[in-house]
Amino acid sequence: MIAMYDSGLGGLSVWRAVRAALPAWPITYLADQAYCPYGQRSRQEIIERSLKVGHYLVSQGATILVVACNTATTAAVSSMREQLPIPIVGIEPAIKPAAAMSRTGRIAVLATEYTLASDRVKALLDAHAGDVEVLRRPGHGWVEQVEAGELDSERTRQLVRQVVAPLLGQGIDHIALGCTHYPFLAPLIRELTGDGIQLYDPAEAIARRVCDLLRQHGCDSQGDGYCRFISTADGNDMALRLPQLIGRSDPVESVPLD
């Protein structure tokens, strides 16, 4: 079983890519909505919570775990790899491809404040940005709007406009999305940027990495592609969002993990 974990519903953008690549594999997706958003929590809180979630998913039969949350990856993936007995796939902003493809020498990265200020992002910039100037911008309130299912409300449009509009005169030609919630707002971003700015969502790269790891570990599945959805908060709220975010209706279990 493939397990996937995010602070909330944003990781469903990665779920879509993994599901498309591995339709026969059973997938369990856990949204830690009781603790969402992670962006304003301390590193120690995120580590402790991520380990609790990880141990739970291992107990449920996970053979591989995708941490479909940039903030959790930044804070906790090293600890999870040390303490959990299964392969862990993390996620990070697509700075490398965005910088490599830039023609203007200026790109932007949109992510939570925690992710943008992290040593992990600094290492990505040092390793891959080179002479490319990278503008780092937090999407204030974006996570909360996606969690609320407000993908096209005037409030959401205003929050997206506040971040993206000032970038349009800065000469950027690529935007790396550094939070798994943000791809759900890509249509609003593209309304502002048009076709002249490329958006990078790392979800498909994560799906390819999962496929590679399963092959490396000799895993094969001929299952029926059963999907299980879990929330650490009210499962009914998440169930209402699934048709909107991934186009399907499924029951959602409530597992508090307190």
Side-chain angles (χ1 to χ4, degrees):
M1 180 260 285
I2 299 168
M4 304 185 68
Y5 154 57
D6 182 28
S7 62
L9 305 180
L12 291 169
S13 63
V14 182
W15 180 95
R16 291 183 303 191
V18 173
R19 177 69 173 166
L22 295 161
W25 269 85
I27 302 176
T28 293
Y29 181 96
L30 187 146
D32 192 18
Q33 292 182 295
Y35 278 67
C36 184
Y38 277 10
Q40 298 176 350
R41 294 188 178 274
S42 71
R43 181 172 182 269
Q44 190 57 39
E45 280 183 290
I46 299 170
I47 290 173
E48 290 174 1
R49 192 63 181 176
S50 297
L51 287 172
K52 178 172 285 190
V53 170
H55 283 297
Y56 170 75
L57 290 170
V58 169
S59 76
Q60 298 300 295
T63 55
I64 187 170
L65 173 58
V66 180
V67 184
C69 174
N70 285 267
T71 302
T73 296
T74 296
V77 75
S78 295
S79 297
M80 296 177 80
R81 285 173 174 152
E82 289 173 359
Q83 298 192 38
L84 298 177
I86 60 175
I88 309 290
V89 178
I91 192 168
E92 60 192 16
I95 292 172
K96 181 179 179 179
M101 295 297 291
S102 178
R103 301 178 305 279
T104 65
R106 302 191 91 187
I107 67 172
V109 178
L110 308 182
T112 65
E113 289 184 292
Y114 187 101
T115 297
L116 292 175
S118 68
D119 290 339
R120 195 176 190 90
V121 165
K122 183 179 184 301
L124 287 171
L125 294 173
D126 290 343
H128 304 299
D131 296 329
V132 175
E133 183 177 358
V134 181
L135 307 182
R136 288 174 275 182
R137 300 290 186 270
H140 292 299
W142 290 19
V143 169
E144 291 85 346
Q145 293 302 102
V146 173
E147 290 291 311
E150 294 191 27
L151 306 185
D152 195 28
S153 69
E154 183 53 39
R155 172 61 175 163
T156 304
R157 287 176 174 273
Q158 179 183 7
L159 289 171
V160 171
R161 192 180 304 114
Q162 287 173 352
V163 176
V164 176
L167 294 172
L168 301 181
Q170 300 297 311
I172 65 168
D173 58 358
H174 293 76
I175 294 176
L177 302 179
C179 174
T180 54
H181 286 77
Y182 293 2
F184 290 112
L185 302 179
L188 299 188
I189 298 172
R190 289 194 180 98
E191 284 183 9
L192 296 167
T193 63
D195 297 330
I197 297 176
Q198 176 72 42
L199 299 186
Y200 277 96
D201 173 5
E204 290 187 4
I206 296 301
R208 289 193 296 271
R209 178 59 178 157
V210 171
C211 291
D212 289 343
L213 280 173
L214 290 173
R215 282 194 294 268
Q216 290 173 19
H217 288 267
C219 298
D220 186 31
S221 175
Q222 301 298 324
D224 59 2
Y226 173 74
C227 290
R228 180 185 180 195
F229 295 94
I230 301 169
S231 173
T232 59
D234 182 358
N236 291 328
D237 181 71
M238 182 177 173
L240 289 174
R241 304 284 174 247
L242 291 181
Q244 183 182 19
L245 296 176
I246 60 173
R248 55 183 285 166
S249 298
D250 291 85
V252 178
E253 302 171 43
S254 179
V255 180
L257 291 185
D258 290 329

